[in-house]
């Protein structure tokens, strides 16, 4: 491991800051597999001796990698490579969670927390408005915890019009995806979605489910799924993604 770090080359003759050069080279080691989850980095003093740079330079590099989720720092123990983030491309691709995780060679699993008919709840009126259904009409409330390789990634609450999809209350969402069931049993194909994303802090219940500390950063994603032509809203979901294990990519073309 020490040999790997001695291969770091910082060029003081170019205008790129030394801390950033170091950060990029450590990140490259992580992304190419030279550094793996759980590997321990040298102490700051050893980095200084190896690279002949100041402690603030080392500290800034490592701090940024900690903030971005690539490293974990434990007081009295040291700095370690964290579990790799999962690059979710659901901003540009409409894909089921199970298929997306399998494409990344990960094993998906779903825990159904709630599957019920509701006429009131914290998000009931918001969901009814998004689904464009009459005030007071019942909804199906489905809440799930989605995991990959047994690590919880996202807690998602989904709302659907009860009158349209009554039979979903008898479906097994531990094994089947919502979109697949809608297509198989109702010939309803979700062909487009509208998503809103914001950064929030995890509340107690969400933190417990996702196995993170209260007030940890999470991504809150609200989705309306549309079907048919002309399109109509058939699904409204509120998903909470762990900030330390997810990142989102999108490609934009001109």
């Amino acid at each position: 491991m020490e040999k790997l770090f001695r291969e770091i080359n910082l060029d003081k003759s170019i205008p790129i800051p030394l801390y950033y050069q170091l950060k990029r080279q450590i990140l490259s080691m992580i992304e190419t597999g030279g550094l793996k989850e759980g590997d321990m980095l040298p102490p700051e003093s050893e980095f200084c001796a190896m690279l002949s740079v100041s402690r603030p330079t080392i500290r800034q590099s490592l701090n940024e990698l900690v903030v971005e989720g690539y490293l974990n720092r434990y007081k009295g123990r040291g700095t370690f490579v964290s579990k790799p983030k999962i690059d979710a491309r659901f901003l540009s691709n409409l894909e089921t969670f199970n298929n997306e995780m399998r494409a990344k060679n990960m094993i998906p699993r779903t825990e159904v927390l709630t599957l019920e008919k509701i006429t009131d709840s914290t998000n009931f009126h918001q969901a009814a408005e998004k689904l464009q259904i009459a005030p007071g009409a019942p909804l199906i409330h489905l809440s799930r915890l989605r995991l990959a390789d047994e690590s919880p990634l996202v807690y998602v609450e989904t709302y659907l019009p009860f009158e349209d999809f009554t039979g979903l209350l008898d479906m097994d969402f531990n094994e089947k995806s919502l979109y697949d069931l809608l297509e198989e049993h109702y010939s309803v194909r979700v062909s487009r979605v509208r998503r809103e994303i914001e950064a929030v802090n995890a509340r107690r219940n969400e933190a417990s489910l996702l196995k993170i500390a209260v007030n940890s950063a999470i991504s809150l994603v609200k989705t309306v799924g549309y079907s048919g032509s002309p399109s109509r809203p058939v699904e409204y979901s509120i998903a909470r993604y762990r900030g330390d294990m997810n990142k989102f990519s999108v490609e934009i073309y001109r």
Side-chain angles (χ1 to χ4, degrees):
M1 186 66 64
E2 182 178 339
K3 179 181 177 182
L4 180 67
F5 290 109
R6 290 193 178 279
E7 293 176 357
I8 293 175
N9 179 35
L10 303 182
D11 190 344
K12 299 179 181 180
S13 67
I14 60 177
I16 300 175
L18 295 178
Y19 88 88
Y20 188 75
Q21 293 184 48
L22 176 58
K23 173 186 173 182
R24 293 303 307 172
Q25 291 184 53
I26 293 175
L27 183 57
S28 177
M29 293 176 185
I30 294 172
E31 292 177 336
T32 58
L35 286 175
K36 297 179 173 57
E37 178 187 355
D39 284 348
M40 182 178 180
L41 274 67
E44 292 179 1
S45 58
E46 288 189 23
F47 262 128
C48 293
M50 280 191 291
L51 304 176
S52 299
V53 294
S54 67
R55 188 179 288 256
T57 295
I58 303 298
R59 185 169 297 142
Q60 184 171 357
S61 299
L62 300 184
N63 283 347
E64 290 196 3
L65 290 170
V66 169
V67 170
E68 293 171 15
Y70 294 101
L71 300 177
N72 287 323
R73 178 173 287 153
Y74 302 100
K75 188 174 182 179
R77 292 178 52 200
T79 303
F80 299 82
V81 177
S82 62
K83 189 177 182 68
K85 289 191 177 186
I86 296 171
D87 187 2
R89 302 189 64 82
F90 81 145
L91 296 180
S92 53
N93 294 326
L94 190 54
E95 184 64 274
T96 68
F97 176 85
N98 287 348
N99 288 344
E100 186 174 5
M101 292 304 104
R102 291 187 184 111
K104 300 179 186 301
N105 297 315
M106 305 184 77
I107 300 174
R109 186 168 71 83
T110 297
E111 292 181 9
V112 175
L113 306 175
T114 307
L115 178 56
E116 60 185 353
K117 173 185 175 182
I118 61 171
T119 55
D120 193 18
S121 73
T122 301
N123 299 308
F124 177 83
H125 299 290
Q126 180 184 109
E129 181 181 359
K130 295 290 186 180
L131 293 170
Q132 299 176 12
I133 65 173
L139 297 174
I140 292 174
H141 175 223
L142 167 66
S143 65
R144 293 165 290 174
L145 185 66
R146 317 303 297 269
L147 305 94
D149 289 347
E150 292 305 309
S151 293
L153 296 183
V154 56
Y155 164 54
V156 56
E157 295 183 273
T158 301
Y159 301 86
L160 305 105
F162 172 78
E163 299 297 342
D164 294 340
F165 306 116
T166 306
L168 288 179
L169 289 175
D170 300 318
M171 302 295 178
D172 183 4
F173 287 95
N174 290 300
E175 300 296 332
K176 300 285 286 187
S177 79
L178 171 62
Y179 286 3
D180 287 345
L181 289 172
L182 288 176
E183 199 158 354
E184 290 174 13
H185 294 272
Y186 295 94
S187 298
V188 169
R189 182 174 183 269
V190 175
S191 54
R192 74 177 179 92
V193 300
R194 184 177 187 276
R195 289 192 166 111
E196 299 175 357
I197 303 175
E198 59 182 300
V200 299
N201 294 329
R203 296 171 295 185
R204 187 170 302 279
N205 180 56
E206 301 154 358
S208 176
L209 290 169
L210 294 172
K211 299 189 186 316
I212 56 178
V214 174
N215 289 326
S216 294
I218 60 174
S219 296
L220 180 69
V221 181
K222 297 179 180 180
T223 299
V224 180
Y226 296 86
S227 176
S229 180
S231 63
R232 65 185 180 99
V234 295
E235 168 235 0
Y236 176 60
S237 293
I238 304 172
R240 298 163 177 88
Y241 287 81
R242 282 180 58 160
D244 63 334
M245 292 187 65
N246 292 281
K247 63 179 180 179
F248 306 119
S249 299
V250 60
E251 293 182 8
I252 300 174
Y253 297 89
R254 183 174 182 179

